[in-house]
């Protein structure tokens, strides 16, 4: 494995501490990836402990074979948004001591050109977390309307030149199909009139299309809601996100579950009535990587860890 393909788990020590692992506890790693966090959880579990890992990427399922001889571990090929159903199938509803969700694309996915996630490597324009299902990015770009492409790039990429880029995509595909990452990166570069000094002009567009193709934000929302039925009382929820759109969803979810819905001032409710529908307690503030971690792994620089406890 080349250096570029090595996966370094982000915020590893902070996440393990956040999960407050009990030797005989039950834990779910909702986003197995290459198993960095899972490996550390297993090191801290005793003989009666249990770790269930979930991932929809077939290469992650293959990577999980390294734990095949560990009876405490099992891997489930599924979306992390199905965490509630996975737990129900295993009779683990309200039984789990900790859930980890490490959201986003992994380093190996970015480094493998044939996955189509990165403009840094030329490859087929795919971008699917699970290449066996759904439409690829190339298929979507070949069929989507101008307004739809503009919406996706602006909303999920927060790209102010979204319409210019979408128009360029339509003009280009009228001449020839857009099938490779290099093609897309080049046309985005040509469409963007003002370049960011520290960021490739295609960064936001690739992020936007990847999020849309994989329904990533909907996955997060569904997984967070499902986690409430999976965690036992005092069970920990640890979520690592990698950009503001993801972190905003996690932050607002924990805030709503720990503070409740806003009620009109002066409404005659007791403290007990206000607390009765609360499901989580936020643990500390958002945690970001240290300068030392960023120096070791530049892909950690945008990561944010948020922690909550089930009430």
């Amino acid at each position: 494995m080349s250096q570029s393909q090595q996966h370094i788990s982000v915020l590893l020590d902070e996440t393990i501490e956040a999960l407050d692992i009990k030797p005989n506890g039950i834990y779910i790693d909702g986003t197995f990836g290459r198993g960095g966090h899972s490996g550390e959880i297993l090191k801290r579990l005793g003989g009666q402990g249990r770790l269930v890992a979930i991932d929809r990427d077939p290469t992650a399922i293959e990577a999980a074979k390294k734990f095949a001889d560990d009876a405490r571990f099992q891997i489930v090929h599924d979306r992390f948004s199905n965490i509630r159903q996975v737990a129900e199938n295993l009779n683990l509803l309200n039984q789990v001591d900790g859930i980890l969700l490490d959201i986003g694309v992994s380093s190996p996915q970015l480094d493998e050109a044939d996955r189509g996630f990165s403009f840094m490597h030329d490859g087929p324009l795919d971008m699917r977390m699970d290449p066996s299902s759904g439409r690829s990015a190339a298929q979507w770009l070949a069929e989507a309307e101008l307004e739809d492409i503009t919406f996706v790039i602006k909303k999920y990429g927060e790209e102010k030149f979204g319409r210019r880029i979408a128009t360029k995509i339509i003009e280009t595909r009228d001449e020839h199909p857009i099938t490779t990452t290099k093609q897309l990166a080049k046309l985005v570069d040509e469409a963007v009139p003002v370049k960011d000094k520290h960021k490739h002009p295609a960064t936001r567009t690739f992020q936007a299309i990847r999020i849309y193709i994989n329904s990533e934000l909907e996955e997060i929302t569904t997984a967070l809601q499902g986690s409430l039925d999976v965690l036992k009382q005092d069970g920990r929820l640890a979520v690592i996100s990698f950009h503001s759109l993801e972190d905003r969803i996690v932050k607002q979810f924990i805030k709503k579950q720990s503070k409740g819905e806003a009620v009109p001032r002066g409404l005659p409710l007791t403290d007990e009535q206000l607390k009765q529908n609360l499901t989580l307690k936020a643990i500390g503030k958002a945690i970001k990587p240290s300068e030392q971690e960023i120096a070791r792994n530049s892909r950690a620089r945008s990561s944010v860890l948020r922690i909550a406890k089930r009430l």
Side-chain angles (χ1 to χ4, degrees):
M1 179 180 287
S2 69
Q3 182 67 27
S4 64
Q5 291 175 314
Q6 292 180 5
H7 178 65
I8 304 173
S9 298
V10 304
L11 293 165
L12 182 59
D13 293 339
E14 295 86 347
T15 303
I16 297 302
E17 182 177 350
L19 289 171
D20 189 27
I21 295 172
K22 299 173 177 61
N24 293 329
I26 303 172
Y27 293 84
I28 294 181
D29 180 349
T31 46
F32 180 78
R34 293 302 177 270
H37 289 103
S38 280
E40 291 300 316
I41 294 170
L42 287 169
K43 287 178 184 176
R44 288 159 176 79
L45 288 180
Q48 301 303 311
R50 185 175 177 186
L51 173 62
V52 177
I54 302 170
D55 209 298
R56 62 170 156 170
D57 186 338
T59 61
I61 303 303
E62 184 68 22
K65 289 181 178 177
K66 61 185 173 184
F67 298 132
D69 294 333
D70 192 328
R72 303 168 302 169
F73 174 82
Q74 72 181 104
I75 183 80
V76 178
H77 186 197
D78 208 334
R79 297 166 175 263
F80 70 87
S81 60
N82 285 335
I83 189 168
R84 189 194 183 285
Q85 187 61 54
V86 170
E88 184 173 11
N89 293 344
L90 298 172
N91 295 317
L92 292 179
L93 289 181
N94 305 309
Q95 301 294 318
V96 172
D97 295 274
I99 293 173
L100 164 63
L101 301 176
D102 179 3
I103 300 163
V105 65
S106 70
S107 292
Q109 287 171 328
L110 286 171
D111 291 331
E112 293 168 6
D114 61 353
R115 302 301 301 273
F117 286 111
S118 174
F119 48 79
M120 300 297 290
H121 310 281
D122 192 23
L125 192 58
D126 195 301
M127 295 196 192
R128 288 172 293 178
M129 294 290 185
D130 181 355
S132 68
S133 65
R135 285 187 301 178
S136 70
Q139 289 170 324
W140 178 66
L141 287 177
E143 302 164 351
E145 302 288 340
L146 172 64
E147 295 302 328
D148 292 337
I149 299 173
T150 302
F151 173 81
V152 166
I153 296 175
K154 282 190 170 184
K155 180 175 176 63
Y156 300 133
E158 298 180 311
E159 170 61 70
K160 61 184 176 182
F161 301 116
R163 191 167 190 87
R164 283 175 178 261
I165 295 168
T167 300
K168 184 70 175 179
I169 288 171
I170 299 293
E171 292 173 353
T172 302
R173 80 181 189 193
D174 285 345
E175 298 176 3
H176 50 76
I178 303 167
T179 58
T180 70
T181 54
K182 187 176 180 180
Q183 277 182 287
L184 180 60
K186 182 173 181 292
L187 73 84
V188 172
D189 188 23
E190 293 171 353
V192 172
V194 181
K195 307 291 194 296
D196 188 323
K197 188 182 299 183
H198 303 293
K199 187 177 289 186
H200 190 287
T203 300
R204 294 187 182 88
T205 298
F206 270 67
Q207 171 189 302
I209 296 174
R210 192 201 77 221
I211 288 173
Y212 174 73
I213 288 297
N214 294 289
S215 304
E216 292 182 20
L217 302 187
E218 293 83 354
E219 286 274 307
I220 297 169
T221 301
T222 305
L224 290 173
Q225 192 63 44
S227 71
L228 298 177
D229 293 332
V230 178
L231 288 169
K232 64 193 301 185
Q233 186 174 5
D234 293 331
R236 295 293 186 96
L237 174 65
V239 187
I240 303 171
S241 58
F242 285 85
H243 58 74
S244 59
L245 293 171
E246 295 172 343
D247 184 52
R248 195 176 305 148
I249 292 172
V250 179
K251 179 181 178 180
Q252 292 177 349
F253 176 80
I254 292 177
K255 181 180 179 182
K256 180 181 177 183
Q257 299 299 328
S258 60
K259 294 188 175 181
E261 300 282 0
V263 296
R265 185 183 296 273
L267 202 65
L269 295 174
T270 65
D271 287 345
E272 287 305 311
Q273 287 175 313
L274 290 171
K275 292 178 180 176
Q276 65 182 359
N277 293 322
L278 303 186
T279 60
L280 292 177
K281 177 183 179 182
I283 305 293
K285 296 182 178 179
I287 297 173
K288 297 183 179 180
S290 64
E291 292 182 4
Q292 292 83 357
E293 178 170 359
I294 295 173
R296 292 194 305 272
N297 178 18
S298 61
R299 287 173 177 168
R301 63 184 179 279
S302 59
S303 60
V304 179
L305 169 64
R306 293 188 184 272
I307 310 158
K309 181 173 74 172
R310 186 72 167 95
L311 295 175

